[in-house]
């Protein structure tokens, strides 16, 4: 039930962002879209952050991997999932004409890939990238933003600046799982 509520909240958030973007695209000539210049309309970008499988024991993976989270211990894996949409056409943009990247507050830039998810029995397509948190990585808030570019148009997603939901690296360290 909790995941259904979370999914509803994420869907509502994406819809609000899309409506806000489309509302900002109005022209003086009316709301029928005439007079819009595609080069002047930003791309709509929506993102979330989930657990990756790094160092998650098999017996916990099903309930933890790909689950939304904002707090990550050292030695864990942060995964970003992103949708990029053209607000004029409503079409999702793939890697045929678009690029996307995550910029971390520590200066790192992570290139994103577009593809099917999950790998087995794919049910969706979106952009992803991940960050394996080193055991000695500084704790505290880690700021980030997504930038998507398609031709001369771009869009940026920045998470809400609300302390409990900010991406935070904790001082807990996941034990590393030895690969056999």
């Amino acid at each position: 039930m909790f995941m259904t509520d979370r999914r509803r909240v994420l869907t509502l958030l994406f819809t609000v962002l899309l409506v806000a973007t489309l509302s900002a695209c109005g022209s003086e000539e009316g709301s029928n879209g005439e007079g819009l210049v595609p080069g002047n309309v930003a791309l709509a970008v929506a993102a979330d952050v989930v657990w990756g499988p790094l160092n998650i024991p098999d017996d916990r993976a099903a309930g933890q991997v790909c689950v939304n989270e904002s707090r990550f211990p050292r030695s864990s894996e942060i995964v970003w999932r992103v949708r990029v949409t053209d607000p004029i056409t409503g079409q999702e943009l793939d890697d045929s004409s678009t690029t996307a990247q995550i910029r971390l507050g520590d200066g790192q830039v992570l290139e994103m890939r577009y593809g099917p998810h999950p790998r087995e029995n794919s049910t969706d397509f979106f952009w992803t990238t991940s960050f394996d948190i080193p055991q000695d990585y500084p704790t505290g808030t880690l700021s980030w933003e997504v930038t998507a570019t398609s031709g001369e148009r771009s869009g940026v997603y920045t998470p809400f600046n609300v302390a409990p939901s900010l991406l935070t690296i904790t001082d807990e360290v996941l034990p590393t799982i030895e690969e056999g």
Side-chain angles (χ1 to χ4, degrees):
M1 181 171 197
F2 179 72
M3 285 308 296
T4 301
D5 291 342
R6 184 171 248 160
R7 190 167 292 149
R8 285 182 187 146
V9 168
L10 288 172
T11 300
L12 179 61
L13 175 62
F14 179 73
T15 303
V16 168
L17 287 171
L18 186 58
V19 169
T21 302
L22 290 173
S23 297
C25 297
S27 70
E28 293 181 8
E29 298 175 22
S31 60
N32 63 3
E34 292 178 13
L36 287 179
V37 179
N40 293 338
V41 178
L43 302 175
V45 181
D48 70 0
V49 180
V50 298
W51 281 93
L54 180 69
N55 294 321
I56 302 295
D58 289 341
D59 62 333
R60 290 180 31 203
Q64 192 165 355
V65 174
C66 292
V67 173
N68 291 105
E69 184 61 72
S70 63
R71 300 176 61 79
F72 292 86
R74 294 171 172 159
S75 298
S76 65
E77 179 183 17
I78 303 169
V79 176
W80 285 267
R81 303 183 301 184
V82 171
R83 290 197 193 281
V84 180
T85 306
D86 181 332
I88 295 172
T89 65
Q91 298 296 311
E92 282 192 34
L93 301 177
D94 61 22
D95 57 356
S96 64
S97 64
T98 305
T99 60
Q101 56 186 208
I102 301 290
R103 293 180 189 279
L104 299 179
D106 67 4
Q108 293 184 70
V109 176
L110 309 173
E111 298 298 326
M112 302 196 80
R113 295 171 307 283
Y114 184 83
H117 298 278
R119 287 182 197 158
E120 294 83 30
N121 302 316
S122 301
T123 58
D124 207 348
F125 284 77
F126 47 85
W127 295 87
T128 60
T129 194
S130 66
F131 175 59
D132 297 348
I133 306 168
Q135 286 188 355
D136 60 351
Y137 198 79
T139 59
T141 301
L142 177 60
S143 62
W144 60 278
E145 71 177 20
V146 181
T147 302
T149 304
S150 183
E152 299 208 11
R153 298 170 58 199
S154 65
V156 176
Y157 173 85
T158 305
F160 295 107
N161 188 18
V162 178
S165 64
L166 293 175
L167 184 58
T168 303
I169 309 302
T170 66
D171 59 1
E172 176 187 2
V173 176
L174 284 184
T176 56
I177 296 176
E178 300 297 323
E179 295 186 29

